[in-house]
Amino acid sequence: MSSQPATSEGAPPPGCPAHAGYGGRGLPSLYGAGYAADPTATFAQLRAQGPVSQVEIAPGVSAWLVTSYDTALEVLRSPERFAKDPRRWRALADGTVPPDSPVIPMMMYRPNALWADGAEHVRLRGAITDSLSRVDPNALRGYVEQSADRLIDRFGPRGHADLLGEYGAVLPLLVFEQMFGCPSDLGAKLVEGMSGIFDSEGDAERANALLVEALSGLVALKRQQPAADVTSWMMAHPAQLNDEEMIHQLILLMGAGTEPQQNLICNGLRLLLSDDRFGGHLAGGSMPVEDALDEVLWMDPPMANYCIHYALYDLELGGVPVPAGEPILVSLAAANTDPNLVTDRRGGNRAHLAWSAGAHTCPAKDPARLIASVAIEKLLDRLPDVELDVRVEELAWRPGPFHRALAALPVCFPPIAPQAITDEIPGDSGWNVRPAPSSSMPPVTTSTGRQHESGSKGQRRWWNFLARWWRGQ
Ligand code: HEM
């Protein structure tokens, strides 16, 4: 094993108070290197104050953080008291929060299911859940296996790889390309655009342009030639999404799926390669992988602190007064490890909140879990002697308040020859094996005429935000 250090992009500069665990406002910080290295210490400190505390999530940006399991459920399951729409965020509206704050991409309003409430949420989410439910798990498994083989073939002969950059980050994109019915020319643009966005030294403008082109092209294509894929199913849904709504939901689906998906794969691999409780049985089938995924979803959930809500009126939460218009983050990571939570985590207990709960719970948990477990099984199957290329303590976590994400996952293994697999991935007919579900949505007669930000300036800024959102900053 070499002792090559893992990188840590985006850490605050030396001297920044976030290093010491506090932001400039004197509140515990969720964006510094200290928090990234040891979130549990921050959670313990916050719990000592009560189930809800004020934290700083970026320089000059404060929010409430819920650390108890019961209070988390209270927020997630009480739409009559808490709403998602970020246009309620007063400090952003009045300019107190700088519009270029690094947390804005993950918090700003867009006309998608994540930020919608009430009937509009039901309408947008219905199109998503009904379409995702038509994805056949066997076809999905096949696509993950083929995508995994393609990637492993690239680095396998080398004997070493960064499983984050070369595997976990790329594989979900290849799979989504198939799920969403991207023909190879658009799919190539999509993958190049998305990968460019993740590459902090790449040309983000060009990456954005490629993505816009790919998604607009995809929507136009599927309007003309619908096929058996998630994009076409969403278009055909009684919710009658217009083109702009389609693009926004596609971005949500791909953005929501990519970063957490890569983190579930890589956090799971890290555990399997470093923890004797799992590593001893690597050759023994799928149980250790499923156990490791459960452990990650409990202990290191890919979305650590998110599920942002706003109190509809000034109210009390967990014993503290929370004014309307201030963001409330649910710490899924802290809630899962709440010392007051009496639960036996062994034996596949999945009462964790890694997928959130309530109306906005992740609509893709089954495919997301399948993608992660097949991706991990395939890698361990092809590279049975893979091991970490650094000590586990040397692996750096990427700073940031929302994700639990490794900065890199360097591994080494005896080189293998590429498999003689075809580079072609089957066409989209593989998805067409499930009947359309009876829709959860009443037919909607008008879906056009909604007021959205328009114009090239607004669009450009929006896409720049998107770049940082996808990077999880
Ligand atoms: C391991 C992977 C994943 C994890 C841990 C995860 C976790 C979550 C969480 C915690 C939420 C709630 C966010 C909030 O309320 O603010 C969420 C929502 C969502 N997720 Fe996932 N997700 C994963 C994969 C995916 C994938 C693969 C897709 C799409 C194919 C997806 C699509 C969505 C969408 C559309 C929402 C918004 C739902 C709504 O607001 O009604 N997720 N996810």
Short mmCIF file of all heavy atoms in Angstrom, two decimals, residues 12-13 15-39 41-43 45-46 49 54-58 65:
data_model
loop_
_atom_site.label_atom_id
_atom_site.label_comp_id
_atom_site.label_asym_id
_atom_site.label_seq_id
_atom_site.Cartn_x
_atom_site.Cartn_y
_atom_site.Cartn_z
N PRO A 12 -11.91 25.27 4.02
CA PRO A 12 -11.72 26.69 4.27
C PRO A 12 -10.25 27.01 4.43
O PRO A 12 -9.46 26.17 4.86
CB PRO A 12 -12.49 26.93 5.57
CG PRO A 12 -12.68 25.62 6.18
CD PRO A 12 -12.59 24.59 5.10
N PRO A 13 -9.82 28.23 4.09
CA PRO A 13 -8.41 28.57 4.18
C PRO A 13 -7.95 28.59 5.63
O PRO A 13 -8.76 28.80 6.54
CB PRO A 13 -8.34 29.97 3.57
CG PRO A 13 -9.73 30.50 3.65
CD PRO A 13 -10.65 29.34 3.60
N GLY A 15 -6.83 29.69 9.13
CA GLY A 15 -7.20 30.91 9.84
C GLY A 15 -8.69 31.13 9.85
O GLY A 15 -9.23 31.88 10.66
N CYS A 16 -9.42 30.47 8.95
CA CYS A 16 -10.87 30.61 8.92
C CYS A 16 -11.45 30.00 10.20
O CYS A 16 -11.04 28.90 10.60
CB CYS A 16 -11.44 29.90 7.70
SG CYS A 16 -13.22 29.77 7.71
N PRO A 17 -12.40 30.70 10.85
CA PRO A 17 -12.94 30.16 12.10
C PRO A 17 -13.63 28.81 11.93
O PRO A 17 -13.78 28.06 12.89
CB PRO A 17 -13.95 31.23 12.55
CG PRO A 17 -14.12 32.15 11.40
CD PRO A 17 -12.95 31.99 10.50
N ALA A 18 -14.02 28.49 10.67
CA ALA A 18 -14.70 27.20 10.46
C ALA A 18 -13.79 26.03 10.81
O ALA A 18 -14.27 24.95 11.13
CB ALA A 18 -15.16 27.09 9.02
N HIS A 19 -12.45 26.26 10.77
CA HIS A 19 -11.53 25.21 11.18
C HIS A 19 -11.75 24.82 12.63
O HIS A 19 -11.60 23.67 13.02
CB HIS A 19 -10.08 25.69 11.03
CG HIS A 19 -9.49 25.36 9.71
ND1 HIS A 19 -9.37 24.08 9.25
CD2 HIS A 19 -9.01 26.16 8.72
CE1 HIS A 19 -8.82 24.08 8.05
NE2 HIS A 19 -8.60 25.34 7.71
N ALA A 20 -12.09 25.82 13.43
CA ALA A 20 -12.23 25.57 14.85
C ALA A 20 -13.61 25.04 15.19
O ALA A 20 -13.92 24.80 16.35
CB ALA A 20 -11.98 26.88 15.61
N GLY A 21 -14.48 24.86 14.19
CA GLY A 21 -15.80 24.32 14.45
C GLY A 21 -16.87 25.37 14.63
O GLY A 21 -18.02 25.06 14.88
N TYR A 22 -16.50 26.66 14.53
CA TYR A 22 -17.49 27.73 14.65
C TYR A 22 -17.41 28.62 13.42
O TYR A 22 -16.34 28.88 12.89
CB TYR A 22 -17.23 28.58 15.90
CG TYR A 22 -17.62 27.84 17.15
CD1 TYR A 22 -16.70 27.04 17.80
CD2 TYR A 22 -18.92 27.91 17.63
CE1 TYR A 22 -17.06 26.32 18.93
CE2 TYR A 22 -19.29 27.20 18.75
CZ TYR A 22 -18.36 26.40 19.40
OH TYR A 22 -18.72 25.69 20.49
N GLY A 23 -18.56 29.12 12.97
CA GLY A 23 -18.58 30.06 11.85
C GLY A 23 -18.36 31.47 12.37
O GLY A 23 -18.24 31.71 13.58
N GLY A 24 -18.34 32.41 11.42
CA GLY A 24 -18.09 33.81 11.78
C GLY A 24 -19.15 34.40 12.69
O GLY A 24 -18.92 35.39 13.37
N ARG A 25 -20.35 33.80 12.71
CA ARG A 25 -21.42 34.29 13.58
C ARG A 25 -21.37 33.69 14.98
O ARG A 25 -22.30 33.85 15.76
CB ARG A 25 -22.77 33.97 12.97
CG ARG A 25 -22.98 34.64 11.64
CD ARG A 25 -24.39 34.42 11.15
NE ARG A 25 -24.75 35.50 10.25
CZ ARG A 25 -26.00 35.76 9.88
NH1 ARG A 25 -26.98 35.04 10.36
NH2 ARG A 25 -26.25 36.75 9.05
N GLY A 26 -20.33 32.89 15.22
CA GLY A 26 -20.21 32.27 16.54
C GLY A 26 -21.08 31.03 16.70
O GLY A 26 -21.20 30.48 17.80
N LEU A 27 -21.70 30.61 15.63
CA LEU A 27 -22.54 29.40 15.70
C LEU A 27 -21.72 28.20 15.25
O LEU A 27 -20.80 28.34 14.42
CB LEU A 27 -23.74 29.55 14.75
CG LEU A 27 -24.72 30.67 15.08
CD1 LEU A 27 -25.71 30.85 13.93
CD2 LEU A 27 -25.46 30.35 16.38
N PRO A 28 -22.06 27.00 15.74
CA PRO A 28 -21.35 25.80 15.25
C PRO A 28 -21.45 25.72 13.72
O PRO A 28 -22.51 25.97 13.15
CB PRO A 28 -22.11 24.64 15.91
CG PRO A 28 -22.74 25.25 17.11
CD PRO A 28 -23.06 26.68 16.76
N SER A 29 -20.33 25.39 13.09
CA SER A 29 -20.28 25.42 11.63
C SER A 29 -20.42 24.03 11.03
O SER A 29 -19.86 23.06 11.54
CB SER A 29 -18.94 26.03 11.22
OG SER A 29 -18.47 25.43 10.04
N LEU A 30 -21.19 23.93 9.96
CA LEU A 30 -21.32 22.67 9.23
C LEU A 30 -20.53 22.69 7.93
O LEU A 30 -20.67 21.79 7.11
CB LEU A 30 -22.79 22.38 8.89
CG LEU A 30 -23.77 22.13 10.03
CD1 LEU A 30 -25.08 21.58 9.46
CD2 LEU A 30 -23.23 21.19 11.07
N TYR A 31 -19.74 23.74 7.70
CA TYR A 31 -19.05 23.81 6.41
C TYR A 31 -17.54 23.69 6.52
O TYR A 31 -16.86 23.69 5.50
CB TYR A 31 -19.43 25.10 5.66
CG TYR A 31 -19.09 26.39 6.37
CD1 TYR A 31 -17.83 26.99 6.20
CD2 TYR A 31 -20.00 27.02 7.20
CE1 TYR A 31 -17.53 28.17 6.83
CE2 TYR A 31 -19.69 28.19 7.83
CZ TYR A 31 -18.46 28.78 7.65
OH TYR A 31 -18.15 29.94 8.29
N GLY A 32 -17.02 23.60 7.70
CA GLY A 32 -15.57 23.60 7.84
C GLY A 32 -14.95 22.21 7.76
O GLY A 32 -15.64 21.19 7.77
N ALA A 33 -13.63 22.22 7.71
CA ALA A 33 -12.90 20.96 7.67
C ALA A 33 -13.11 20.18 8.97
O ALA A 33 -13.14 18.95 8.96
CB ALA A 33 -11.41 21.24 7.46
N GLY A 34 -13.27 20.90 10.08
CA GLY A 34 -13.47 20.23 11.37
C GLY A 34 -14.74 19.40 11.36
O GLY A 34 -14.74 18.23 11.75
N TYR A 35 -15.82 20.00 10.87
CA TYR A 35 -17.08 19.26 10.80
C TYR A 35 -16.96 18.07 9.85
O TYR A 35 -17.38 16.96 10.17
CB TYR A 35 -18.23 20.18 10.35
CG TYR A 35 -19.44 19.39 9.93
CD1 TYR A 35 -20.26 18.79 10.89
CD2 TYR A 35 -19.73 19.16 8.59
CE1 TYR A 35 -21.34 18.00 10.51
CE2 TYR A 35 -20.81 18.38 8.20
CZ TYR A 35 -21.61 17.80 9.18
OH TYR A 35 -22.66 17.01 8.79
N ALA A 36 -16.34 18.30 8.67
CA ALA A 36 -16.24 17.21 7.68
C ALA A 36 -15.46 16.03 8.26
O ALA A 36 -15.78 14.88 8.01
CB ALA A 36 -15.58 17.72 6.40
N ALA A 37 -14.40 16.34 9.04
CA ALA A 37 -13.56 15.26 9.57
C ALA A 37 -14.28 14.48 10.66
O ALA A 37 -14.06 13.28 10.81
CB ALA A 37 -12.26 15.85 10.10
N ASP A 38 -15.15 15.15 11.43
CA ASP A 38 -15.79 14.47 12.56
C ASP A 38 -17.18 15.05 12.84
O ASP A 38 -17.38 15.77 13.82
CB ASP A 38 -14.90 14.60 13.80
CG ASP A 38 -15.43 13.76 14.96
OD1 ASP A 38 -16.39 12.99 14.74
OD2 ASP A 38 -14.90 13.90 16.07
N PRO A 39 -18.15 14.72 11.99
CA PRO A 39 -19.49 15.28 12.21
C PRO A 39 -20.09 14.85 13.54
O PRO A 39 -20.88 15.60 14.14
CB PRO A 39 -20.32 14.71 11.05
CG PRO A 39 -19.41 13.98 10.16
CD PRO A 39 -18.08 13.84 10.82
N ALA A 41 -18.85 14.69 16.44
CA ALA A 41 -18.51 15.60 17.54
C ALA A 41 -19.42 16.82 17.50
O ALA A 41 -19.92 17.28 18.53
CB ALA A 41 -17.04 16.03 17.42
N THR A 42 -19.67 17.34 16.28
CA THR A 42 -20.58 18.49 16.16
C THR A 42 -21.98 18.10 16.59
O THR A 42 -22.66 18.85 17.31
CB THR A 42 -20.60 19.00 14.69
OG1 THR A 42 -19.26 19.31 14.31
CG2 THR A 42 -21.47 20.23 14.54
N PHE A 43 -22.44 16.92 16.18
CA PHE A 43 -23.80 16.50 16.56
C PHE A 43 -23.92 16.36 18.09
O PHE A 43 -24.94 16.74 18.67
CB PHE A 43 -24.17 15.19 15.87
CG PHE A 43 -24.25 15.29 14.36
CD1 PHE A 43 -23.94 14.20 13.55
CD2 PHE A 43 -24.63 16.47 13.74
CE1 PHE A 43 -24.01 14.29 12.17
CE2 PHE A 43 -24.70 16.58 12.36
CZ PHE A 43 -24.38 15.47 11.57
N GLN A 45 -22.23 17.94 20.35
CA GLN A 45 -22.23 19.29 20.91
C GLN A 45 -23.62 19.94 20.74
O GLN A 45 -24.15 20.57 21.65
CB GLN A 45 -21.17 20.09 20.14
CG GLN A 45 -21.03 21.53 20.53
CD GLN A 45 -20.21 22.30 19.46
OE1 GLN A 45 -19.73 21.72 18.49
NE2 GLN A 45 -20.06 23.58 19.66
N LEU A 46 -24.23 19.73 19.57
CA LEU A 46 -25.54 20.33 19.32
C LEU A 46 -26.62 19.66 20.16
O LEU A 46 -27.50 20.32 20.70
CB LEU A 46 -25.90 20.21 17.82
CG LEU A 46 -25.03 21.02 16.88
CD1 LEU A 46 -25.33 20.69 15.42
CD2 LEU A 46 -25.23 22.52 17.11
N GLN A 49 -27.43 20.95 23.48
CA GLN A 49 -28.26 22.17 23.55
C GLN A 49 -29.74 21.83 23.43
O GLN A 49 -30.59 22.65 23.74
CB GLN A 49 -27.91 23.12 22.41
CG GLN A 49 -26.49 23.65 22.44
CD GLN A 49 -26.16 24.45 21.17
OE1 GLN A 49 -27.05 24.95 20.49
NE2 GLN A 49 -24.88 24.54 20.86
N GLN A 54 -29.27 26.36 16.37
CA GLN A 54 -28.84 27.19 15.24
C GLN A 54 -27.42 26.82 14.85
O GLN A 54 -26.56 26.62 15.72
CB GLN A 54 -28.91 28.67 15.61
CG GLN A 54 -30.24 29.29 15.22
CD GLN A 54 -30.18 30.79 15.24
OE1 GLN A 54 -29.82 31.36 16.26
NE2 GLN A 54 -30.54 31.42 14.14
N VAL A 55 -27.19 26.75 13.55
CA VAL A 55 -25.86 26.44 13.03
C VAL A 55 -25.57 27.40 11.88
O VAL A 55 -26.47 28.08 11.37
CB VAL A 55 -25.77 24.99 12.50
CG1 VAL A 55 -25.88 23.98 13.63
CG2 VAL A 55 -26.82 24.72 11.42
N GLU A 56 -24.30 27.42 11.47
CA GLU A 56 -23.95 28.19 10.29
C GLU A 56 -23.62 27.19 9.18
O GLU A 56 -22.82 26.27 9.37
CB GLU A 56 -22.74 29.07 10.61
CG GLU A 56 -22.60 30.23 9.65
CD GLU A 56 -21.68 31.31 10.19
OE1 GLU A 56 -21.86 31.75 11.34
OE2 GLU A 56 -20.76 31.71 9.45
N ILE A 57 -24.27 27.36 8.02
CA ILE A 57 -24.07 26.38 6.95
C ILE A 57 -23.16 26.90 5.85
O ILE A 57 -22.76 26.15 4.95
CB ILE A 57 -25.42 25.89 6.36
CG1 ILE A 57 -26.28 27.06 5.89
CG2 ILE A 57 -26.17 25.05 7.37
CD1 ILE A 57 -27.59 26.63 5.21
N ALA A 58 -22.86 28.18 5.87
CA ALA A 58 -21.90 28.81 4.95
C ALA A 58 -21.57 30.15 5.62
O ALA A 58 -22.31 30.60 6.51
CB ALA A 58 -22.52 29.03 3.58
N LEU A 65 -30.95 23.42 12.84
CA LEU A 65 -30.64 22.02 12.53
C LEU A 65 -31.34 21.12 13.54
O LEU A 65 -31.18 21.28 14.76
CB LEU A 65 -29.13 21.76 12.58
CG LEU A 65 -28.73 20.38 12.07
CD1 LEU A 65 -28.78 20.34 10.54
CD2 LEU A 65 -27.33 19.98 12.54
#
